[in-house]
Amino acid sequence: MLAFFHKYRYSLLIVLIGLLWLEVLNVLLQLDRQTLLYPDASNYLESAQKMYLKFTGHYYRPMVMAFITGLPYLFGSSDAGILQWSLLVNVLCWLGTSLLLFQIAKDFLKANVAFVVALLPFFIIGNAVLNYHLLTENIYTFFIVLAFYSLFRYFKTNNFWFLSFSLSLLLSSMLIKPGAKFLAIFILLFFIKSLLKNYKAKAMILIYGSVLMILIQVVGMKVQYGDFTLSYIDGVTYHNYLFSKAECFKNGKEYHQINNPRAEYLFSLLFTDQKRVAKEDAIRQIKTNFPNVVKAYFHNLLENTKSGNACVYDLENKKGSRDFDFWKTAAFDLSKWQNRLFTVLGVLVSLYFVRKIFATKSVYAFMALFVLYTIILSGISCGQGDRFHVITFPIVFLLLAKALIETDRFKRFSARLQK
């Protein structure tokens, strides 16, 4: 038993510290007393109900998130039970992300330094507070980090099973967040030679299974709603947040996310018409209102970079504690500055690594691509606080550590000894 604790002492400490810190935040911010259910969370709950209770798909939320969210329905769970299950899944993914970062960081850092790097994501306020909401961020982050860990193992061992598992996770991630599809497709094409070489290998069953799920999703959407698409959320997002803002700039009006007439009109349409109208509007504005589209995009990007965590902002003092407002303000301000600092550092360090993507087999280059892709893509939406960028911060910490270790000053005391 002592040998077990000694061998896994860092991993056990990561879990223990993570849970203790989460409980500290819970006590200070009354996280488990909150009752606000965001519209996105209502969508995810509805998607789980459709899958498990009505055996249909959801128009905005793809099947993998619905499958994960709704599992307790198999055992007769109520909707309240789904929300409790969501907290458990989120926390497990939140802890699992740091455990995986530790395993990767040990490759180039001493174990005690890798341990510190793995702890850093816990103290991102946005990531921690999102555990208490039925949202995708921590689940998606875990999927992505697990995919990169598997890719890391593939580069180390040249075992095709690791590559297959990594690519299958990336493909499956688009059924959690549809916006992930372009990243998944690019990385899949990057390894196309290896896939063609091993197309008969047993390990390919993982990729074939993921592709089959995607086909089921798009065919199901066609049968149920009218279009071959992963989700209708993409058109709604860029229409209501990017091009609506561009239209406001054109007409000299102030953009409002709520009470947006264009959004109200779009939601009044059938889903296949939503997709068509959003696409036609996007083409029209790119042709006739392009400067304001660019302005709206960078306005969104700036807002997503400088904003604090909306979940903290919306917290209520359910217990009537005297010091609640102090801790709420401190947590929100901290989340705001964390977002600003680590978004900027994330872009800079990712530019340093992504240039190596075609030169060397480096998992860090693909991590950098993920960070840049996520931040760039965030410009099509707004009004969500730091949600778009916090999913990159665990990887940003790893990239920063890797970049520092490549400098002589830090290499001396933190680098792992090479055998």
Side-chain angles (χ1 to χ4, degrees):
M1 184 62 72
L2 289 176
F4 173 84
F5 282 108
H6 179 75
K7 181 177 180 181
Y8 296 104
R9 63 190 184 281
Y10 287 118
S11 296
L12 293 171
L13 279 172
I14 287 172
V15 172
L16 178 61
I17 292 171
L19 292 176
L20 288 174
W21 171 242
L22 192 61
E23 182 57 23
V24 168
L25 288 178
N26 180 37
V27 171
L28 296 177
L29 301 175
Q30 304 175 28
L31 298 174
D32 61 353
R33 297 295 186 96
Q34 305 302 312
T35 57
L36 177 61
L37 192 67
Y38 287 105
D40 284 358
S42 296
N43 266 184
Y44 291 123
L45 181 61
E46 184 183 16
S47 70
Q49 293 169 342
K50 281 180 172 290
M51 172 175 280
Y52 284 92
L53 305 180
K54 300 178 182 179
F55 309 107
T56 59
H58 194 272
Y59 35 90
Y60 293 148
R61 311 302 177 184
M63 66 166 66
V64 170
M65 185 60 185
F67 173 78
I68 295 170
T69 300
L71 273 173
Y73 281 136
L74 292 176
F75 308 97
S77 173
S78 64
D79 292 346
I82 296 297
L83 297 177
Q84 293 172 344
W85 166 250
S86 171
L87 172 61
L88 176 61
V89 173
N90 281 337
V91 171
L92 289 175
C93 289
W94 183 67
L95 294 171
T97 295
S98 285
L99 291 172
L100 290 170
L101 291 181
F102 175 65
Q103 294 300 320
I104 299 174
K106 283 196 304 180
D107 181 64
F108 61 89
L109 295 172
K110 295 176 182 178
N112 58 340
V113 181
F115 169 73
V116 173
V117 171
L119 291 179
L120 293 177
F122 290 153
F123 301 100
I124 296 297
I125 297 297
N127 285 344
V129 173
L130 283 170
N131 282 317
Y132 286 83
H133 292 270
L134 203 173
L135 297 170
T136 61
E137 277 68 30
N138 285 332
I139 296 173
Y140 175 69
T141 302
F142 176 72
F143 262 64
I144 293 297
V145 174
L146 181 57
F148 287 141
Y149 173 72
S150 300
L151 189 60
F152 164 77
R153 296 292 298 155
Y154 169 69
F155 287 146
K156 284 288 181 182
T157 65
N158 204 34
N159 186 329
F160 185 72
W161 275 100
F162 286 118
L163 178 61
S164 180
F165 185 54
S166 176
L167 295 177
S168 68
L169 286 171
L170 290 169
L171 290 170
S172 300
S173 71
M174 69 174 73
L175 299 178
I176 297 176
K177 279 185 174 292
K181 58 181 176 287
F182 300 113
L183 176 72
I185 292 170
F186 173 83
I187 297 179
L188 183 76
L189 293 176
F190 188 92
F191 290 100
I192 192 66
K193 289 184 178 179
S194 296
L195 298 182
L196 293 175
K197 181 179 178 181
N198 294 279
Y199 76 97
K200 291 184 178 180
K202 292 181 180 179
M204 282 294 294
I205 193 172
L206 300 176
I207 296 177
Y208 294 149
S210 298
V211 172
L212 179 61
M213 285 197 301
I214 294 169
L215 289 175
I216 291 172
Q217 175 72 28
V218 298
V219 171
M221 293 291 286
K222 172 65 176 178
V223 171
Q224 192 170 351
Y225 300 110
D227 291 286
F228 287 106
T229 183
L230 288 174
S231 165
Y232 287 100
I233 195 65
D234 289 353
V236 168
T237 300
Y238 64 69
H239 178 274
N240 292 350
Y241 295 95
L242 176 62
F243 291 101
S244 288
K245 184 176 286 190
E247 190 77 5
C248 286
F249 285 150
K250 175 184 176 182
N251 297 322
K253 296 181 179 180
E254 185 177 355
Y255 171 79
H256 294 286
Q257 181 181 344
I258 301 175
N259 299 323
N260 178 352
R262 282 167 49 94
E264 292 172 1
Y265 169 70
L266 194 71
F267 287 133
S268 72
L269 303 175
L270 296 174
F271 297 112
T272 188
D273 290 329
Q274 289 181 13
K275 185 179 180 68
R276 176 183 56 79
V277 168
K279 182 178 179 180
E280 290 174 353
D281 177 70
I283 293 173
R284 176 185 65 81
Q285 289 212 51
I286 289 173
K287 289 181 177 179
T288 64
N289 192 31
F290 185 70
N292 285 314
V293 172
V294 174
K295 181 180 177 180
Y297 171 81
F298 283 103
H299 191 275
N300 287 348
L301 195 61
L302 179 61
E303 179 184 323
N304 293 332
T305 298
K306 68 180 185 179
S307 298
N309 186 262
C311 299
V312 174
Y313 183 83
D314 292 330
L315 291 173
E316 296 181 358
N317 189 0
K318 298 290 187 178
K319 296 166 65 176
S321 301
R322 288 182 300 177
D323 58 354
F324 175 81
D325 288 338
F326 170 80
W327 291 114
K328 174 183 173 178
T329 301
F332 180 75
D333 288 344
L334 181 58
S335 72
K336 179 169 60 179
W337 287 103
Q338 285 177 334
N339 189 20
R340 296 172 181 184
L341 175 63
F342 295 118
T343 296
V344 173
L345 290 178
V347 170
L348 294 176
V349 75
S350 296
L351 290 173
Y352 170 76
F353 280 106
V354 78
R355 59 191 173 86
K356 303 179 181 181
I357 198 164
F358 292 106
T360 60
K361 289 185 176 182
S362 169
V363 69
Y364 307 104
F366 289 97
M367 289 180 174
L369 177 66
F370 163 74
V371 173
L372 293 174
Y373 173 85
T374 302
I375 292 173
I376 291 170
L377 191 65
S378 77
I380 69 171
S381 188
C382 62
Q384 303 295 315
D386 61 359
R387 275 180 61 192
F388 295 111
H389 293 182
V390 291
I391 60 178
T392 68
F393 294 166
I395 289 176
V396 168
F397 290 131
L398 191 67
L399 293 178
L400 287 171
K402 180 63 175 175
L404 288 173
I405 206 62
E406 293 184 0
T407 65
D408 291 336
R409 179 177 298 179
F410 288 90
K411 187 181 297 184
R412 295 172 188 169
F413 74 88
S414 59
R416 180 176 178 270
L417 294 176
Q418 301 297 316
K419 295 181 179 179

